[in-house]
Amino acid sequence: MPGLLRSDRGGLSVSSPSGERKDACSLRIIQRDESPMEKGLSGLRGRDFELSDVFYFSKKGLEAIVEDEVTQRFSSEELVSWNLLTRTNVNFQYVSPRLTMVWVLGVIVRYCVLLPLRLTLAVIGISLFVIGTTLVGQLPRNRLKNFLSEVVHLTCCRICVRALSGTIHYHNRQYRPQKGGICVANHTSPIDVLILTTDGCYTMVGQVHGGLMGIIQRSMVKACPHIWFERSEMKDRHLVIRRLKEHIALKEELPILIFPEGTCINNTSVMMFKKGSFEIGGTIHPVAIKYNPRFGDAFWNSSKYNIVSYLLRVMTSWAIVCDVWYMPPMTREEGEDAVQFANRVKSAIAVQGGLTELPWDGGLKRAKVKDTFKEEQQKNYSKMIVGNGSLKSELD
């Protein structure tokens, strides 16, 4: 036989004689044509409008309704095979008694052995972090304070990563972000900060929080010039840009860490980068982060889980395994605006991390599509239909 058919909780899979596994059925609901709409229309008709064109647009609309490529980026990606957690629901076949016993044993190990150890490490790491940054913050601003601040940040973040059983593989360390620059990365989880800070210190940019996170933020800013904004200030884009420009003007300051997507994406794609981070000037240091979902789901679906529930899910997974690629620094080219520069950096990160590049705004996670964007798409569609837009130029 050319291969053996095997069924598991993730569905059917084919094992070839070489041991390589292939999907017997796709995790996608439908199979769609990914070619541009202009190309699809050009293969259906000539220059003149035909009534049959409506079927093509209806087909595209139904595909978007059945399987929207945007909203599915805000839920955990499905795995081809079950990893003994509770994430795989597509193509569910059966759970045998033997497999159930293995799962129960895994629950006992994860909750009764790993979780207490991880909680202990997390408490130690956070406590040392708050105490250490508070004490360092009492020193006058000089090289000694900067050195001690970096030691505290690196040490405590590494302890916290150990609390997640984190295994991180860093690539191209010669391109690590330098002082006076801006580090931009794709965003999957709040622990992205820990992943990057384990290998180097950064100036954080974010919103002021309350509770435990607020205590940590206030202690951090005493030891290092992090940039925290009130909610009202975050709405003033020009104020944010001005404060960031003042920071990078000082070449001895730590690089700024920014996640231009503005929200967490499920580690399968990179969505639109907000242009504000690329209007500041200076050198951009792109970083691609890719988690391995077989050992644990790092994605934070903030619409479904609060931070406590999310951390519990992460700390009861098998491990957090990821790859981090540092990429060559990039600068804005002559004649290139902020949007074009942001798209160029986004494309480079997507290619390096093996992620799908999408033009959509991550803000669609909580907000509706703007009317202006709908109108722009309607104009493009009308140009295709009457044959005086991009389709006509291609045919010419």
Side-chain angles (χ1 to χ4, degrees), residues 304-317:
K304 187 176 180 180
Y305 303 103
N306 58 34
I307 188 64
V308 176
S309 300
Y310 165 74
L311 290 177
L312 179 62
R313 285 170 58 87
V314 172
M315 298 183 74
T316 54
S317 63

Side-chain angles (χ1 to χ4, degrees), residues 75-201:
S75 59
S76 297
E77 60 176 311
E78 293 288 350
L79 302 179
V80 175
S81 59
W82 187 34
N83 60 354
L84 297 183
L85 299 176
T86 57
R87 292 183 48 221
T88 302
N89 298 312
V90 173
N91 300 322
F92 175 85
Q93 298 296 322
Y94 64 89
V95 177
S96 65
R98 182 182 301 176
L99 191 59
T100 301
M101 291 301 297
V102 174
W103 177 77
V104 171
L105 179 61
V107 170
I108 295 174
V109 172
R110 290 188 288 115
Y111 281 86
C112 299
V113 179
L114 296 180
L115 181 59
L117 294 176
R118 290 170 176 174
L119 284 175
T120 302
L121 282 175
V123 171
I124 293 174
I126 294 174
S127 300
L128 290 178
F129 189 78
V130 173
I131 296 173
T133 51
T134 301
L135 293 177
V136 172
Q138 308 304 315
L139 300 175
R141 188 69 185 276
N142 50 38
R143 291 185 178 181
L144 176 61
K145 180 179 181 179
N146 294 337
F147 172 75
L148 293 177
S149 175
E150 292 187 16
V151 170
V152 171
H153 277 76
L154 289 172
T155 303
C156 296
C157 285
R158 288 170 180 173
I159 294 175
C160 292
V161 169
R162 297 294 183 272
L164 303 175
S165 297
T167 301
I168 312 169
H169 304 282
Y170 297 96
H171 307 272
N172 306 324
R173 284 187 167 177
Q174 68 272 21
Y175 296 130
R176 280 189 296 185
Q178 302 299 315
K179 292 185 176 181
I182 302 172
C183 174
V184 297
N186 57 302
H187 196 25
T188 304
S189 160
I191 65 177
D192 292 341
V193 175
L194 290 177
I195 298 298
L196 293 176
T197 310
T198 300
D199 196 45
C201 290

Side-chain angles (χ1 to χ4, degrees), residues 175-186 202 244 248 251 255-260 273-287 326-333 336-338 340-346 348-349:
Y175 296 130
R176 280 189 296 185
Q178 302 299 315
K179 292 185 176 181
I182 302 172
C183 174
V184 297
N186 57 302
Y202 299 88
L244 294 178
I248 65 173
K251 298 301 181 182
I256 299 175
L257 176 58
I258 299 178
F259 300 103
F273 278 10
K274 306 295 178 60
K275 67 176 182 178
S277 307
F278 302 88
E279 294 177 327
I280 304 171
T283 303
I284 298 294
H285 299 270
V287 176
Y326 297 112
M327 303 169 62
M330 303 174 67
T331 54
R332 191 166 165 179
E333 297 177 352
E336 186 177 42
D337 60 26
Q340 293 171 333
F341 186 27
N343 289 334
R344 183 159 61 91
V345 174
K346 181 185 73 169
I349 291 176

